[in-house]
Amino acid sequence: MNFRFNYPEKNKAINLSFSLLFFGCTFLVFAVLFIRQPIEAVDTDLWYHLNGGRYFFDNNEIASNSFFSFLSPERIKVNYYWLFQVLVYKVYSFSGYHGLIFLRAFVFLLIISLLYSFLDKTQNRKLLPFIFMLFGLLLLMRCLLVRPHIFSFLFLILFIYILEIAPQKSICLPFIGLLWVNMHGIAYPVMILIIVSYTTGIFYKRIKNNAPLDKKQILQLLFLTFSMLTIFVSPHGTKLLTVPFISTKYASQYIQELGGRGMHIADFLTFHVTNLAPSLQTIFNIIFLMVISSVIIKSFKKKLRISHILLFGGATFLLIKSSSRFMYEFSLLSLPLLNTKNVFVRDDKVSYINNFFYYSCFLVLLISTYGHAAKYFSNPPTYPVSMVGLPTGISTFLKKIDTKGTVLNFPNTGGYLQWMLYPDYQIAMDMEVPHLFTDKDFFYVLNAFFDDSGFKNFYAQYNPSYITVPIYIYLNYNILKKFSPEYVCVFFDDAEALFVNKAKLPEIADEFALTLDPALLVNFDMSLLQRGIQKNHEIIQDLFHVETIYPNCKMINWAISNIFIDKKEYDSAEKYASRIIQDFPDSYIGYNLLGDIKSYAELYNEAILDYKTALEKTDDLDIYKKLSVCYVKIENYQKAYHTLKKGLDIYSTEIQHEDIFKLGLLALQLNKKDEARMLMEFADYKTPDSETDLKNRIQIILDNANVN
């Protein structure tokens, strides 16, 4: 005889309450995080979308060519995201970056609300919070980018929701399809996959039951047909049909987003959790395993619908094509397969999962969700937009001198530069490859920076007025020599250095040519800067000249602050350090510099606070050393010892003998005699014979009876 123990209604209510509590808490956390998190330049796509929107309103036509580029002949594209460009530009025009942040938050919160509503109707109560958390965390980082794919996610979920949960609202599908095709038209094959899957499901059910279609089914088929036809209802007509199938064979080699590998078994066996925060691959792997398990179980129970099989097949095809790029679409398309009611654990039966175990897991789930979010949002940059990695100073300088002309740029920042400089200047290209620019365009522009022949050929063809070079390329590829004598450096910021064509604009070259080499500042090495100043005192003049035009450069403010520290003008030094903190709150540089200023001014307690803040943002060894010195100055030897010990790895081959000696002195001060002896022996072993004073001091300590 088999016994079944029914759950009391009270337990059902508790499960529901916990699920709602989890959703409410998570919704609130996500809302706060999305509103508080500034826009960051992970790429510069947002800005070319803004420029496309501006072009639409300025010219009353869709941006379908390379209007911002000087490359010839003019490049043509199918602007499959034109409506998104119109939307973001209008939002930006009305409320700036704050408006874009709220738009991003609104779309994401709408997505997770639809997700919860869908899962609430299809998932077991006990598994609902877990599945919802997985999908929320999976989409979290991807939806922080203000790009058209976030609307694709929204429309995909809306299609699935209506067809699975609310078929009576199928009349909305053509309107959603119309928005989808014009917001992010390249994703129309996903919409077609959904439509074909559910249309096939309806006909299969009719054939299987040998019954005619009822009125509701006929209407649903009609709306699905109208939805499919929306792919032709865009300004591009049939031209849109070929866009998703443009080859990315070569572009995938230099665009990370396009270069994701296909499906590899090893990828799905990777699980990594740090401080209760699972990695993105781990989150997806769990979803993937749940989907596969659901397919297997439903197959054995003969509950696998034909529409779901087709969705799963299409999603798997995308995953095989590129697991990193299409993991989001796979997960969302597989939502109907994750119907855990009556498949895994039933709500109305006693589960093998103990209530205590379940609620403990629920608590861990909450902590994990918030821990995962905190991991990414604990140290936000400048609000409402972070300019880290963007050539903001270059664009400020070019707008100030207003000479107009052409700018050879590195493609990565092309989106931002065209937004800031058009129509006064034309750049070479952005990263709209291969849909606007070609692989050849990218190759030629790239080699203009890295290859001597490439630069000469590009110069001969286009003779650009300016060249703006990413700092890391400037440092590593001898750019000064490569561009001489045709170009001279006239400006730089934290991201790029700007060169002017002396033949075309001699007056700009004469007035703004720099003697200051940005290489002196990049590593924030004061000894390197001091050597440069000793060789050429005009460097100081250049520092203040750049600062006058662009006062938000981290490197410049750091250098000027250190100059004032050398002069013991600590108030002036603090002014520039505070600028860095204001413009780069996520960087340790400003807080470390402020700690130096307070330390030199003998305000050691204040310096300690600044150094501690800096160490929250980095593990730089030098800061531990300086913090330890401050503790020594206030005679807190216990903290001085532990701080220095935390920052030192005495078995590192790079450790300095002076640091081992200082740690030994602190150990001696705290009466740690055995440790002090060992450290002094280590210090003596590493100290060169030429440093006789230090070796004598070490020997005296070792000979001292208190140590022996």
Coordinates of all heavy atoms in Angstrom, one line a residue, residues 347-422:
D347 N 3.8 20.5 -5.2 CA 3.5 21.4 -4.1 C 2.6 20.6 -3.1 O 2.6 20.9 -1.9 CB 2.8 22.6 -4.6 CG 3.8 23.7 -5.0 OD1 4.9 23.7 -4.5 OD2 3.4 24.4 -5.9
D348 N 1.7 19.8 -3.6 CA 0.7 19.2 -2.8 C 1.1 17.9 -2.2 O 0.3 17.2 -1.7 CB -0.6 19.0 -3.6 CG -0.4 18.1 -4.8 OD1 0.8 18.0 -5.2 OD2 -1.4 17.6 -5.3
K349 N 2.3 17.5 -2.3 CA 2.8 16.3 -1.7 C 4.0 16.5 -0.8 O 4.7 17.5 -1.0 CB 3.3 15.3 -2.9 CG 2.2 15.0 -3.8 CD 1.1 14.2 -3.2 CE 0.0 13.8 -4.2 NZ -0.7 14.9 -4.7
V350 N 4.2 15.6 0.2 CA 5.3 15.8 1.0 C 6.6 15.5 0.2 O 6.7 14.5 -0.5 CB 5.3 14.8 2.2 CG1 6.6 14.8 3.0 CG2 4.1 15.1 3.1
S351 N 7.5 16.4 0.2 CA 8.8 16.3 -0.5 C 9.8 15.7 0.3 O 9.8 15.7 1.6 CB 9.2 17.7 -1.0 OG 10.5 17.6 -1.4
Y352 N 10.8 15.1 -0.4 CA 11.9 14.5 0.4 C 12.8 15.7 0.9 O 13.7 15.5 1.7 CB 12.8 13.6 -0.5 CG 13.2 14.3 -1.8 CD1 14.4 15.1 -1.8 CD2 12.5 14.1 -3.0 CE1 14.8 15.7 -3.0 CE2 12.9 14.7 -4.2 CZ 14.1 15.5 -4.2 OH 14.5 16.1 -5.3
I353 N 12.5 16.9 0.4 CA 13.2 18.1 0.9 C 12.6 18.5 2.2 O 11.5 18.9 2.3 CB 13.2 19.2 -0.1 CG1 13.8 18.8 -1.4 CG2 13.9 20.4 0.4 CD1 13.7 19.8 -2.5
N354 N 13.4 18.4 3.2 CA 12.9 18.8 4.6 C 12.6 20.3 4.6 O 13.3 21.1 4.0 CB 14.0 18.4 5.6 CG 13.6 18.8 7.0 OD1 13.8 19.9 7.4 ND2 13.2 17.7 7.7
N355 N 11.6 20.7 5.3 CA 11.2 22.1 5.4 C 12.4 22.9 5.9 O 12.7 24.0 5.4 CB 10.0 22.3 6.3 CG 8.7 22.1 5.5 OD1 8.7 22.2 4.3 ND2 7.6 22.0 6.2
F356 N 13.0 22.4 7.0 CA 14.2 23.1 7.5 C 15.3 23.3 6.5 O 15.8 24.4 6.3 CB 14.7 22.4 8.7 CG 16.0 23.0 9.3 CD1 15.9 24.1 10.1 CD2 17.2 22.5 9.0 CE1 17.1 24.7 10.6 CE2 18.4 23.0 9.5 CZ 18.3 24.2 10.3
F357 N 15.5 22.3 5.7 CA 16.5 22.3 4.7 C 16.1 23.3 3.6 O 16.9 24.1 3.1 CB 16.8 21.0 4.1 CG 17.8 21.0 2.9 CD1 19.1 21.1 3.2 CD2 17.3 20.8 1.6 CE1 20.0 21.1 2.1 CE2 18.2 20.8 0.6 CZ 19.6 21.0 0.8
Y358 N 14.8 23.3 3.2 CA 14.3 24.2 2.2 C 14.5 25.7 2.6 O 15.0 26.5 1.8 CB 12.9 23.9 1.9 CG 12.2 25.0 1.1 CD1 12.6 25.2 -0.3 CD2 11.2 25.8 1.6 CE1 12.0 26.2 -1.0 CE2 10.6 26.8 0.9 CZ 11.0 27.0 -0.4 OH 10.4 27.9 -1.2
Y359 N 14.0 26.0 3.8 CA 14.1 27.4 4.2 C 15.5 27.9 4.5 O 15.9 29.0 4.3 CB 13.2 27.6 5.5 CG 11.8 27.4 5.2 CD1 11.0 26.5 5.9 CD2 11.2 28.0 4.1 CE1 9.7 26.3 5.6 CE2 9.8 27.8 3.8 CZ 9.1 27.0 4.6 OH 7.8 26.7 4.3
S360 N 16.4 26.9 4.8 CA 17.8 27.2 5.0 C 18.4 27.6 3.6 O 19.1 28.6 3.4 CB 18.6 26.1 5.6 OG 18.1 25.8 6.9
C361 N 18.0 26.8 2.6 CA 18.5 27.0 1.2 C 17.9 28.4 0.7 O 18.6 29.1 0.0 CB 18.0 25.9 0.3 SG 18.9 24.4 0.6
F362 N 16.7 28.6 1.1 CA 16.1 29.9 0.7 C 16.8 31.1 1.3 O 17.1 32.1 0.5 CB 14.6 29.9 1.3 CG 13.9 31.2 0.9 CD1 13.2 31.3 -0.3 CD2 13.8 32.2 1.8 CE1 12.5 32.4 -0.6 CE2 13.1 33.4 1.5 CZ 12.4 33.5 0.3
L363 N 17.3 31.0 2.5 CA 18.1 32.1 3.1 C 19.4 32.2 2.4 O 19.8 33.3 2.1 CB 18.3 31.8 4.6 CG 19.0 32.8 5.4 CD1 18.3 34.1 5.4 CD2 19.3 32.4 6.8
V364 N 20.0 31.1 2.1 CA 21.3 31.1 1.3 C 21.1 31.8 0.0 O 21.9 32.5 -0.5 CB 21.9 29.7 1.2 CG1 23.1 29.7 0.2 CG2 22.3 29.2 2.6
L365 N 19.9 31.5 -0.6 CA 19.6 32.0 -1.9 C 19.5 33.6 -1.9 O 20.0 34.3 -2.8 CB 18.2 31.5 -2.3 CG 18.0 31.3 -3.8 CD1 19.0 30.4 -4.5 CD2 16.5 30.8 -4.0
L366 N 18.9 34.1 -0.8 CA 18.8 35.5 -0.7 C 20.2 36.1 -0.5 O 20.5 37.1 -1.2 CB 17.9 35.8 0.6 CG 16.4 35.8 0.4 CD1 15.8 36.0 1.8 CD2 16.0 37.0 -0.5
I367 N 21.0 35.5 0.3 CA 22.3 36.1 0.6 C 23.1 36.0 -0.7 O 23.9 36.9 -1.0 CB 23.0 35.3 1.7 CG1 22.2 35.5 3.0 CG2 24.4 35.7 1.9 CD1 22.7 34.7 4.2
S368 N 23.0 34.9 -1.4 CA 23.8 34.7 -2.6 C 23.4 35.7 -3.7 O 24.3 36.3 -4.4 CB 23.5 33.3 -3.2 OG 24.2 33.1 -4.4
T369 N 22.1 36.0 -3.8 CA 21.6 36.9 -4.8 C 22.2 38.3 -4.5 O 22.7 39.0 -5.4 CB 20.1 37.0 -4.8 OG1 19.6 35.7 -5.1 CG2 19.6 38.0 -5.8
Y370 N 22.1 38.7 -3.2 CA 22.6 40.1 -2.9 C 24.1 40.1 -2.9 O 24.7 41.1 -3.2 CB 22.0 40.5 -1.5 CG 20.5 40.4 -1.5 CD1 19.8 40.0 -0.4 CD2 19.7 40.6 -2.6 CE1 18.4 39.9 -0.3 CE2 18.3 40.5 -2.6 CZ 17.7 40.2 -1.5 OH 16.3 40.1 -1.5
G371 N 24.7 39.0 -2.5 CA 26.2 38.9 -2.5 C 26.7 39.0 -4.0 O 27.7 39.7 -4.2
H372 N 26.0 38.4 -4.9 CA 26.4 38.4 -6.3 C 26.2 39.9 -6.8 O 27.1 40.4 -7.5 CB 25.5 37.5 -7.1 CG 25.8 37.5 -8.6 ND1 26.7 36.5 -9.1 CD2 25.4 38.2 -9.6 CE1 26.9 36.7 -10.4 NE2 26.1 37.7 -10.7
A373 N 25.1 40.5 -6.4 CA 24.9 41.9 -6.9 C 26.0 42.8 -6.2 O 26.6 43.7 -6.9 CB 23.5 42.4 -6.5
A374 N 26.2 42.6 -4.9 CA 27.2 43.5 -4.2 C 28.6 43.3 -4.8 O 29.4 44.3 -4.9 CB 27.2 43.1 -2.8
K375 N 28.9 42.1 -5.3 CA 30.2 41.9 -5.9 C 30.5 42.9 -7.1 O 31.6 43.4 -7.3 CB 30.3 40.4 -6.4 CG 31.6 40.1 -7.2 CD 31.5 38.7 -7.7 CE 32.7 38.3 -8.6 NZ 32.6 37.0 -9.1
Y376 N 29.5 43.1 -7.9 CA 29.6 43.9 -9.1 C 29.3 45.4 -8.8 O 29.8 46.3 -9.6 CB 28.7 43.4 -10.2 CG 29.1 42.1 -10.8 CD1 28.5 40.9 -10.4 CD2 30.2 42.0 -11.6 CE1 28.9 39.7 -10.9 CE2 30.6 40.8 -12.2 CZ 29.9 39.6 -11.8 OH 30.3 38.4 -12.3
F377 N 28.6 45.7 -7.7 CA 28.2 47.1 -7.5 C 28.8 47.8 -6.3 O 28.4 48.8 -5.9 CB 26.7 47.1 -7.4 CG 25.9 46.6 -8.7 CD1 25.4 45.4 -8.7 CD2 25.8 47.4 -9.8 CE1 24.8 44.9 -9.8 CE2 25.1 47.0 -10.9 CZ 24.6 45.7 -10.9
S378 N 29.8 47.1 -5.7 CA 30.3 47.6 -4.4 C 31.1 48.9 -4.6 O 31.3 49.6 -3.6 CB 31.1 46.5 -3.7 OG 32.2 46.1 -4.5
N379 N 31.7 49.1 -5.8 CA 32.6 50.2 -5.9 C 32.3 50.9 -7.2 O 33.0 50.9 -8.2 CB 34.1 49.7 -6.0 CG 35.1 50.8 -6.0 OD1 34.9 51.9 -5.5 ND2 36.2 50.5 -6.7
P380 N 31.1 51.6 -7.2 CA 30.6 52.3 -8.5 C 31.5 53.5 -8.9 O 32.0 54.2 -8.0 CB 29.2 52.7 -8.1 CG 29.3 52.9 -6.6 CD 30.2 51.9 -6.1
P381 N 31.6 53.7 -10.2 CA 32.4 54.9 -10.7 C 31.5 56.1 -10.6 O 30.4 56.1 -10.0 CB 32.7 54.5 -12.1 CG 31.6 53.5 -12.5 CD 31.2 52.8 -11.2
T382 N 31.9 57.1 -11.3 CA 31.2 58.4 -11.3 C 29.8 58.3 -11.8 O 29.5 57.6 -12.8 CB 32.0 59.4 -12.2 OG1 33.4 59.4 -11.8 CG2 31.5 60.8 -11.9
Y383 N 28.9 59.0 -11.2 CA 27.5 59.0 -11.6 C 27.2 60.3 -12.3 O 27.7 61.3 -11.9 CB 26.6 58.8 -10.3 CG 25.2 58.4 -10.5 CD1 24.8 57.1 -10.7 CD2 24.2 59.4 -10.7 CE1 23.5 56.7 -10.9 CE2 22.9 59.1 -10.9 CZ 22.5 57.7 -11.0 OH 21.2 57.4 -11.2
P384 N 26.3 60.3 -13.3 CA 25.5 59.2 -13.9 C 26.3 58.4 -15.0 O 25.7 57.4 -15.5 CB 24.3 59.9 -14.4 CG 24.9 61.2 -14.9 CD 25.9 61.6 -13.9
V385 N 27.5 58.9 -15.4 CA 28.2 58.2 -16.4 C 29.7 58.2 -16.1 O 30.2 59.2 -15.6 CB 27.9 58.8 -17.8 CG1 28.4 60.2 -17.9 CG2 28.6 58.0 -18.9
S386 N 30.3 57.1 -16.2 CA 31.8 57.0 -16.0 C 32.5 57.2 -17.3 O 32.2 56.6 -18.3 CB 32.1 55.6 -15.5 OG 33.5 55.4 -15.5
M387 N 33.4 58.1 -17.3 CA 34.2 58.4 -18.5 C 35.5 57.6 -18.6 O 36.3 57.9 -19.5 CB 34.5 59.9 -18.6 CG 33.2 60.8 -18.7 SD 32.3 60.4 -20.2 CE 30.9 61.5 -20.1
V388 N 35.7 56.7 -17.7 CA 36.9 55.8 -17.8 C 37.0 55.1 -19.1 O 36.0 54.5 -19.6 CB 36.9 54.8 -16.6 CG1 38.0 53.8 -16.8 CG2 36.9 55.5 -15.3
G389 N 38.1 55.2 -19.8 CA 38.3 54.6 -21.0 C 37.8 55.4 -22.2 O 38.0 55.0 -23.4
L390 N 37.2 56.6 -22.0 CA 36.7 57.4 -23.1 C 37.6 58.6 -23.3 O 38.1 59.2 -22.3 CB 35.3 57.9 -22.8 CG 34.2 56.8 -22.6 CD1 32.9 57.4 -22.2 CD2 34.0 56.1 -24.0
P391 N 37.9 59.0 -24.5 CA 38.7 60.1 -24.8 C 38.0 61.5 -24.6 O 37.8 62.3 -25.6 CB 39.1 59.9 -26.3 CG 38.0 59.2 -26.9 CD 37.4 58.3 -25.8
T392 N 37.5 61.7 -23.4 CA 36.8 62.9 -23.1 C 37.6 64.2 -23.3 O 37.2 65.2 -23.7 CB 36.2 62.8 -21.7 OG1 37.2 62.5 -20.8 CG2 35.1 61.8 -21.6
G393 N 38.9 64.1 -22.8 CA 39.8 65.2 -22.9 C 40.1 65.6 -24.4 O 40.2 66.7 -24.8
I394 N 40.3 64.5 -25.2 CA 40.6 64.7 -26.6 C 39.4 65.5 -27.3 O 39.6 66.4 -28.0 CB 40.9 63.4 -27.3 CG1 42.0 62.6 -26.6 CG2 41.1 63.6 -28.8 CD1 43.3 63.3 -26.7
S395 N 38.2 65.0 -27.0 CA 37.1 65.6 -27.7 C 36.9 67.1 -27.1 O 36.5 68.0 -27.9 CB 35.8 64.8 -27.4 OG 35.6 64.6 -26.0
T396 N 37.2 67.3 -25.9 CA 37.1 68.6 -25.3 C 38.1 69.6 -26.0 O 37.7 70.7 -26.4 CB 37.4 68.6 -23.8 OG1 36.4 67.8 -23.1 CG2 37.3 70.0 -23.2
F397 N 39.3 69.1 -26.2 CA 40.3 69.9 -26.8 C 39.9 70.2 -28.3 O 40.0 71.4 -28.7 CB 41.7 69.2 -26.8 CG 42.8 69.9 -27.5 CD1 43.4 70.9 -27.0 CD2 43.1 69.4 -28.8 CE1 44.5 71.6 -27.7 CE2 44.2 70.0 -29.5 CZ 44.8 71.1 -28.9
L398 N 39.5 69.2 -29.0 CA 39.1 69.4 -30.4 C 38.0 70.4 -30.6 O 37.9 71.2 -31.5 CB 38.8 68.1 -31.1 CG 40.0 67.2 -31.4 CD1 39.6 65.8 -31.8 CD2 41.0 67.8 -32.4
K399 N 37.0 70.3 -29.7 CA 35.9 71.2 -29.7 C 36.3 72.6 -29.4 O 35.8 73.6 -29.9 CB 34.8 70.7 -28.8 CG 34.1 69.5 -29.3 CD 33.2 68.8 -28.3 CE 32.0 69.6 -27.9 NZ 31.1 68.8 -27.0
K400 N 37.3 72.7 -28.5 CA 37.8 74.1 -28.1 C 38.5 74.8 -29.2 O 38.2 75.9 -29.5 CB 38.7 73.9 -26.9 CG 39.3 75.3 -26.4 CD 40.2 75.0 -25.2 CE 41.0 76.3 -24.9 NZ 40.1 77.5 -24.6
I401 N 39.4 74.1 -29.9 CA 40.2 74.7 -31.0 C 39.3 74.9 -32.2 O 39.6 75.7 -33.1 CB 41.5 74.0 -31.3 CG1 41.2 72.5 -31.7 CG2 42.4 74.0 -30.0 CD1 42.5 71.8 -32.1
D402 N 38.4 74.0 -32.4 CA 37.3 74.1 -33.5 C 38.0 74.4 -34.9 O 37.5 75.3 -35.6 CB 36.4 75.3 -33.1 CG 35.1 75.2 -34.0 OD1 34.8 74.1 -34.5 OD2 34.5 76.3 -34.2
T403 N 38.9 73.5 -35.2 CA 39.5 73.7 -36.6 C 38.8 72.9 -37.6 O 39.0 73.1 -38.8 CB 41.0 73.2 -36.5 OG1 41.0 71.8 -36.2 CG2 41.8 74.0 -35.5
K404 N 37.9 72.0 -37.2 CA 37.3 71.0 -38.1 C 38.4 70.2 -38.8 O 39.5 70.4 -38.6 CB 36.4 71.7 -39.1 CG 35.3 72.5 -38.3 CD 34.3 73.2 -39.3 CE 33.2 73.8 -38.6 NZ 33.6 74.7 -37.4
G405 N 37.9 69.1 -39.5 CA 38.9 68.3 -40.1 C 38.6 66.8 -39.9 O 37.5 66.4 -39.5
T406 N 39.6 66.0 -40.2 CA 39.4 64.5 -40.1 C 40.3 64.0 -39.0 O 41.4 64.5 -38.7 CB 39.7 63.8 -41.4 OG1 41.1 64.2 -41.8 CG2 38.8 64.3 -42.5
V407 N 39.8 62.9 -38.3 CA 40.5 62.4 -37.2 C 40.6 60.9 -37.4 O 39.6 60.1 -37.4 CB 39.7 62.6 -35.8 CG1 40.5 62.1 -34.7 CG2 39.5 64.1 -35.6
L408 N 41.8 60.4 -37.5 CA 42.1 59.0 -37.6 C 42.0 58.5 -36.1 O 42.8 58.9 -35.3 CB 43.4 58.7 -38.2 CG 44.0 57.2 -38.0 CD1 43.0 56.2 -38.6 CD2 45.4 57.1 -38.6
N409 N 41.1 57.6 -35.8 CA 40.8 57.1 -34.5 C 41.0 55.6 -34.4 O 40.8 54.9 -35.4 CB 39.5 57.5 -34.0 CG 38.4 56.8 -34.8 OD1 38.2 57.0 -36.0 ND2 37.6 55.9 -34.1
F410 N 41.2 55.1 -33.2 CA 41.2 53.7 -33.0 C 39.7 53.3 -32.9 O 38.9 53.9 -32.2 CB 41.9 53.3 -31.7 CG 42.4 51.9 -31.7 CD1 43.4 51.4 -32.5 CD2 41.8 51.0 -30.8 CE1 43.8 50.1 -32.5 CE2 42.2 49.6 -30.8 CZ 43.2 49.2 -31.6
P411 N 39.3 52.2 -33.6 CA 37.8 52.0 -33.8 C 37.1 51.8 -32.5 O 35.9 52.1 -32.4 CB 37.8 50.7 -34.6 CG 39.0 50.7 -35.4 CD 40.1 51.3 -34.5
N412 N 37.7 51.3 -31.4 CA 37.0 51.0 -30.2 C 36.3 52.2 -29.6 O 35.2 52.0 -29.0 CB 38.0 50.4 -29.1 CG 38.4 49.0 -29.4 OD1 38.1 48.5 -30.4 ND2 39.1 48.4 -28.5
T413 N 36.9 53.4 -29.7 CA 36.2 54.6 -29.1 C 35.5 55.4 -30.2 O 35.1 56.5 -29.9 CB 37.3 55.4 -28.4 OG1 38.4 55.7 -29.3 CG2 37.8 54.7 -27.2
G414 N 35.3 54.8 -31.4 CA 34.7 55.6 -32.5 C 33.3 56.0 -32.2 O 32.8 57.1 -32.6
G415 N 32.5 55.2 -31.4 CA 31.2 55.5 -31.1 C 31.1 56.8 -30.3 O 30.3 57.7 -30.6
Y416 N 32.0 56.9 -29.3 CA 32.0 58.1 -28.5 C 32.5 59.3 -29.2 O 31.9 60.4 -29.1 CB 32.8 57.9 -27.2 CG 32.9 59.1 -26.3 CD1 31.9 59.4 -25.4 CD2 34.0 59.9 -26.3 CE1 31.9 60.5 -24.6 CE2 34.1 61.1 -25.5 CZ 33.0 61.3 -24.6 OH 33.1 62.4 -23.8
L417 N 33.5 59.2 -30.0 CA 34.1 60.3 -30.7 C 33.1 60.9 -31.7 O 33.1 62.1 -31.9 CB 35.4 59.9 -31.4 CG 36.6 59.7 -30.4 CD1 37.8 59.1 -31.2 CD2 37.0 61.1 -29.9
Q418 N 32.4 60.0 -32.4 CA 31.5 60.6 -33.4 C 30.4 61.3 -32.8 O 29.9 62.3 -33.3 CB 30.9 59.4 -34.3 CG 30.1 58.4 -33.6 CD 29.3 57.5 -34.5 OE1 28.3 57.9 -35.0 NE2 29.8 56.3 -34.7
W419 N 29.9 60.8 -31.6 CA 28.9 61.5 -30.8 C 29.3 62.9 -30.4 O 28.6 63.9 -30.5 CB 28.5 60.7 -29.7 CG 27.7 61.4 -28.6 CD1 28.1 61.6 -27.3 CD2 26.3 61.9 -28.7 NE1 27.1 62.2 -26.6 CE2 26.0 62.5 -27.4 CE3 25.4 62.0 -29.7 CZ2 24.8 63.1 -27.2 CZ3 24.2 62.6 -29.4 CH2 23.9 63.1 -28.2
M420 N 30.6 63.0 -29.9 CA 31.1 64.3 -29.4 C 31.5 65.2 -30.5 O 31.5 66.5 -30.3 CB 32.3 64.0 -28.5 CG 31.9 63.2 -27.2 SD 30.7 64.1 -26.2 CE 31.6 65.6 -25.7
L421 N 32.0 64.7 -31.6 CA 32.7 65.6 -32.6 C 31.9 65.9 -33.9 O 32.1 66.9 -34.5 CB 34.0 65.0 -33.0 CG 35.0 64.7 -31.9 CD1 36.3 64.1 -32.5 CD2 35.4 66.1 -31.2
Y422 N 30.9 65.0 -34.3 CA 30.2 65.3 -35.5 C 29.2 66.4 -35.2 O 28.6 66.5 -34.1 CB 29.4 64.0 -35.9 CG 28.6 64.2 -37.1 CD1 29.2 64.1 -38.4 CD2 27.2 64.5 -37.1 CE1 28.4 64.2 -39.5 CE2 26.5 64.7 -38.2 CZ 27.1 64.6 -39.4 OH 26.4 64.7 -40.6

